Amino acid sequence: MNEGAPIVYHGNGGFEGPGIYMIPGHVERQTPRHYPLEMLQVMGGLGSRGGGSPGHGTPRRWQPRKERQPTKTDNTAFGYDSDDSSLSSNASGSNKSSDKAILGEGSRDREVGTVSREWRGRGRREQRQRRIAPERYLSAAYPFQVKFTPDDLLNGSKWDTLSQEIWDKFVKSQQTEETFRKKMNLWRYLYITIKSIFPRYGLYVVGSTMSGFGLDSSDMDLCLYVRALADLEPRAHALLHLNYILNYIKSFDPGAELIQAKVPILKFRDERNGLQVDLNCNNVVGIRNTNLLYCYSRMDWRVRPLVAITKLWARAHRINDARRRTLSSYALTLMVLHFLQCGTSPAVLPRAGEAARPRPHNRCTLAELFLQMLKYYAEFPYEQMAVSVRAARRVPVWECRARAALAPHADPSHWKLLCVEEPFDLTNTARSVYDPETFEKIVTTFRESYARLSTGLRLQDAWPQR
């Protein structure tokens, strides 16, 4: 199945080729400038149509002279009547001389029947107002929703039934275009309102809404960007500004709450559209990893359904909530990508940042990959190794702790029971799993699901048994 070339939003008018979008300080791809004709002629060394010198100013055109009208008391702006408002300073300043020409030299004109002409400046084009980012998203084509079955989903093997079940569940649960439009409209409303109250704030959509890994039931993740202060600790700075926003958010959602975690999050709900929103402040790494995940989601048609079915499987087993000391959706996504890098042979995905090059094609079915992924993490050496998408390999936990000890605002104690490296800031995205009992539940879920699924080869075998 060909889902098209990689598409991502750059903030310059829609979805385009791969690259980061809406990152503070990032140089966006500029749209072509449209110069008026006279500017192009001056830049090109052209004068008038007759070949004047390069130093000439704005080209002018001939226009028949209108008969002078009696002066009106109700003039338009600048004291000109509407018919004469476009006259240039040269033309308006030469009225008397032109009258003399008509009186003194106009006899020949009257005999011949010609009309006296004058120079007149060409008006400038009005620049169209640039649309804000949410509006450009709303007008762009939606690239995420899959509507066609890939040709190689089935191959006539024993895996066909399970592969079809995985695909059907993915298609039913994926983020639809309607849900995406609702999120973009909410973004537009919040963007305009917040900017009117706090003009220096930036508001960006991050996470699965934009990465291609979103489910129709997924939350909407927003990043509030404020210029950092050198003398204020980042977490305190984030709490300060989120408290400003909280008072406004409570005007339409009284149940909004500010969760004071390591990365503070303002959680609220849009009752009109039924959307749950998580708003952070200055967590710009989320903008970068959104683009990384998007690029991975477009590399192979099996990536998105495999991530989706893993999220649904973890939700069914109740091991996908960081607030309950289990795995976040982002950590689960990184675990699936890491498995596709080094848990199957040949690899389905390359290392992060690796240049594209020809490689052996992995022909495993969806069913085989899902079963292999469960086995990979059922047998993973969690005590010694960490999951790394950046390195596309297992990284020793001691190495992660040593690096954290040298980095500012990092904590080596976060690298405990289950370690999943964040590709950009090298923190542990699974640091919420610090309770031994919860950790054991996660590993046991992988082991039992693999054992049952490998025997029955039906998707329900991997789900909780009643």
Side-chain angles (χ1 to χ4, degrees):
M1 180 189 67
N2 183 8
E3 295 185 29
I7 303 172
V8 71
Y9 180 71
H10 286 264
N12 60 356
F15 295 95
E16 293 189 359
I20 199 68
Y21 70 93
M22 297 184 291
I23 295 181
H26 180 76
V27 180
E28 297 181 345
R29 185 180 305 166
Q30 299 294 321
T31 55
R33 292 187 177 180
H34 300 284
Y35 295 97
L37 176 60
E38 58 267 25
M39 182 62 73
L40 292 176
Q41 289 176 331
V42 172
M43 290 166 61
L46 299 177
S48 64
R49 186 180 294 272
S53 64
H56 287 181
T58 305
R60 302 176 182 272
R61 63 171 181 258
W62 288 104
Q63 182 162 338
R65 179 180 178 84
K66 297 180 180 292
E67 294 185 6
R68 299 188 64 181
Q69 300 292 335
T71 304
K72 298 180 182 179
T73 56
D74 184 20
N75 289 338
T76 57
F78 308 110
Y80 288 105
D81 201 21
S82 59
D83 290 338
D84 298 324
S85 60
S86 60
L87 294 177
S88 65
S89 58
N90 290 338
S92 60
S94 60
N95 285 340
K96 292 184 179 180
S97 61
S98 60
D99 291 343
K100 292 179 180 179
I102 292 175
L103 291 174
E105 302 176 6
S107 58
R108 182 173 178 273
D109 288 342
R110 287 193 294 273
E111 293 175 0
V112 178
T114 59
V115 180
S116 177
R117 300 173 183 268
E118 65 181 3
W119 288 104
R120 178 167 162 178
R122 176 174 296 176
R124 291 180 176 274
R125 292 181 180 178
E126 292 185 2
Q127 294 184 354
R128 290 186 299 176
Q129 187 176 4
R130 188 177 182 184
R131 294 177 298 170
I132 60 176
E135 292 174 346
R136 293 197 291 271
Y137 253 114
L138 283 167
S139 63
Y142 179 66
F144 299 128
Q145 187 171 358
V146 175
K147 299 180 180 179
F148 302 99
T149 303
D151 296 334
D152 49 349
L153 174 65
L154 308 178
N155 60 6
S157 67
K158 66 177 182 179
W159 306 103
D160 283 358
T161 301
L162 181 55
S163 293
Q164 188 67 58
E165 288 179 331
I166 293 174
W167 181 258
D168 291 342
K169 203 167 189 66
F170 159 67
V171 170
K172 291 178 181 178
S173 63
Q174 66 177 327
Q175 179 177 262
T176 63
E177 183 171 0
E178 180 183 2
T179 300
F180 180 80
R181 300 295 176 195
K182 287 179 180 179
K183 291 181 178 180
M184 295 301 100
N185 276 312
L186 177 59
W187 179 26
R188 181 181 183 276
Y189 171 75
L190 293 173
Y191 182 96
I192 294 174
T193 308
I194 291 177
K195 292 284 282 187
S196 67
I197 303 173
F198 307 100
R200 295 188 177 183
Y201 283 5
L203 187 65
Y204 307 131
V205 182
V206 297
S208 60
T209 298
M210 296 298 188
S211 68
F213 292 120
L215 304 178
D216 214 38
S217 57
S218 297
D219 296 345
M220 180 179 181
D221 296 306
L222 294 173
C223 176
L224 182 74
Y225 177 71
V226 190
R227 181 175 296 179
L229 299 178
D231 56 344
L232 191 60
E233 194 267 331
R235 182 176 178 275
H237 189 229
L239 286 170
L240 174 69
H241 291 282
L242 289 178
N243 271 304
Y244 291 155
I245 299 296
L246 179 61
N247 295 327
Y248 160 67
I249 295 296
K250 281 191 172 182
S251 64
F252 64 86
D253 180 16
E257 61 174 331
L258 179 57
I259 300 176
Q260 301 189 20
K262 184 178 185 296
V263 178
I265 295 177
L266 175 57
K267 298 183 75 70
F268 61 94
R269 183 174 178 81
D270 173 29
E271 293 291 344
R272 181 178 180 181
N273 295 305
L275 298 175
Q276 183 69 41
V277 183
D278 291 347
L279 174 65
N280 68 70
C281 181
N282 282 358
N283 187 28
V284 293
V285 69
I287 303 176
R288 288 184 285 177
N289 60 45
T290 296
N291 179 74
L292 175 67
L293 297 191
Y294 177 85
C295 293
Y296 275 130
S297 74
R298 307 294 287 185
M299 287 184 177
D300 192 287
W301 69 265
R302 296 167 293 182
V303 178
R304 289 181 61 198
L306 194 60
V307 170
I309 203 65
T310 302
K311 286 184 177 181
L312 294 171
W313 166 82
R315 180 188 300 175
H317 287 279
R318 298 182 180 181
I319 57 171
N320 71 321
D321 191 345
R323 291 179 298 175
R324 291 183 171 86
R325 295 172 292 182
T326 56
L327 293 163
S328 66
S329 292
Y330 179 52
L332 279 167
T333 302
L334 290 179
M335 291 173 71
V336 175
L337 298 181
H338 169 80
F339 159 74
L340 294 175
Q341 289 176 323
C342 59
T344 183
S345 183
V348 176
L349 297 177
R351 181 172 61 88
E354 183 180 56
R357 64 172 186 267
R359 57 167 49 85
H361 180 62
N362 185 306
R363 299 187 179 277
C364 291
T365 62
L366 266 181
E368 291 175 283
L369 290 177
F370 183 52
L371 188 63
Q372 291 175 20
M373 190 270 299
L374 293 177
K375 181 181 180 182
Y376 183 77
Y377 289 109
E379 301 173 350
F380 194 87
Y382 295 98
E383 294 182 0
Q384 294 84 26
M385 295 294 175
V387 170
S388 175
V389 171
R390 171 189 58 87
R393 62 180 176 84
R394 300 175 180 181
V395 176
V397 174
W398 66 264
E399 182 179 317
C400 300
R401 291 172 180 161
R403 184 168 52 237
L406 300 175
H409 308 298
D411 189 349
S413 65
H414 287 164
W415 298 87
K416 290 185 177 179
L417 301 175
L418 202 159
C419 304
V420 181
E421 182 189 70
E422 211 293 327
F424 291 98
D425 64 10
L426 306 183
T427 58
N428 181 16
T429 64
R431 58 181 173 272
S432 57
V433 185
Y434 60 83
D435 179 63
E437 184 177 347
T438 305
F439 168 73
E440 188 60 34
K441 177 184 176 181
I442 294 173
V443 177
T444 301
T445 301
F446 275 105
R447 291 172 180 167
E448 293 180 351
S449 296
Y450 167 71
R452 292 195 304 267
L453 187 61
S454 61
T455 301
L457 295 183
R458 299 298 299 267
L459 191 57
Q460 63 183 9
D461 297 328
W463 255 239
Q465 303 299 299
R466 297 179 181 177

